[in-house]
Amino acid sequence: MSYSIGEFSKMIGLPVSTLRYYENEGLLKPDRDENNLRVYTDQDLKWVTFLLHLKGTGMSMAELKQYTIWRAEGDATMLERMELLEKRRRLLEKDIQALMHNLEVIENKIDFYEERLAGNKDSMISQVEAEKEKSTK
């Protein structure tokens, strides 16, 4: 199936200007019809969806460009692409750990407030001790 830039924009949820930007940056290469209008395919849809996932991981434009270049070069660059993805995975895992720790701190504070609001004055002492203990880990 083929799609105009407007149709593709709506399908993928990106403005037309972003699609043009991605094309200018070399991330996307839509076909052209007899009138030189961009024509997008289902393959383009899959590729842009994947790019958006990579972008969502915090991958830089330079990394996205490099990945795109390697992809165009084919199977000979599979190792490089895999190493880039493994690097991104390690960074994501660190981010997730940090977020989980921050979530735990917030949950502890919410628990503290709930205890205090319920009238438990002893929760102040246990909260301070718990925070001291966590900060030494």
Side-chain angles (χ1 to χ4, degrees):
M1 185 111 195
S2 62
Y3 312 97
S4 70
I5 193 168
E7 293 168 330
F8 193 74
S9 168
K10 288 177 184 164
M11 288 173 61
I12 201 74
L14 292 174
V16 168
S17 59
T18 300
L19 293 173
R20 289 186 180 126
Y21 172 72
Y22 283 178
E23 185 178 350
N24 288 336
E25 293 297 316
L27 299 179
L28 187 57
K29 293 183 181 182
D31 293 331
R32 299 282 182 152
D33 68 10
E34 62 277 355
N35 297 318
N36 202 32
L37 297 174
R38 292 170 182 87
V39 177
Y40 295 88
T41 65
D42 290 329
Q43 285 302 107
D44 293 320
L45 181 64
K46 289 177 186 176
W47 172 240
V48 173
T49 299
F50 182 67
L51 277 178
L52 293 175
H53 284 293
L54 294 180
K55 187 174 180 271
T57 69
M59 194 174 276
S60 70
M61 182 57 75
E63 290 171 315
L64 292 171
K65 286 180 184 181
Q66 184 60 67
Y67 189 93
T68 302
I69 290 167
W70 284 334
R71 176 182 178 255
E73 292 174 3
D75 288 350
T77 62
M78 199 176 294
L79 180 61
E80 289 84 356
R81 286 181 277 162
M82 186 178 78
E83 288 172 348
L84 179 60
L85 293 176
E86 287 174 339
K87 174 186 169 189
R88 180 56 43 193
R89 177 176 58 191
R90 288 189 299 273
L91 292 171
L92 282 172
E93 287 169 347
K94 286 182 182 178
D95 289 347
I96 289 168
Q97 288 175 349
L99 286 170
M100 292 300 293
H101 176 71
N102 290 337
L103 177 61
E104 184 180 343
V105 169
I106 288 173
E107 286 174 341
N108 288 338
K109 188 57 77 173
I110 290 169
D111 290 345
F112 166 75
Y113 290 139
E114 287 174 345
E115 289 288 321
R116 291 298 301 266
L117 289 169
N120 186 350
K121 302 293 183 194
D122 295 333
S123 64
M124 180 65 169
I125 295 168
S126 62
Q127 176 72 17
V128 170
E129 289 172 359
E131 288 176 2
K132 283 182 184 178
E133 184 178 317
K134 286 184 190 269
S135 69
T136 60
K137 289 183 181 180

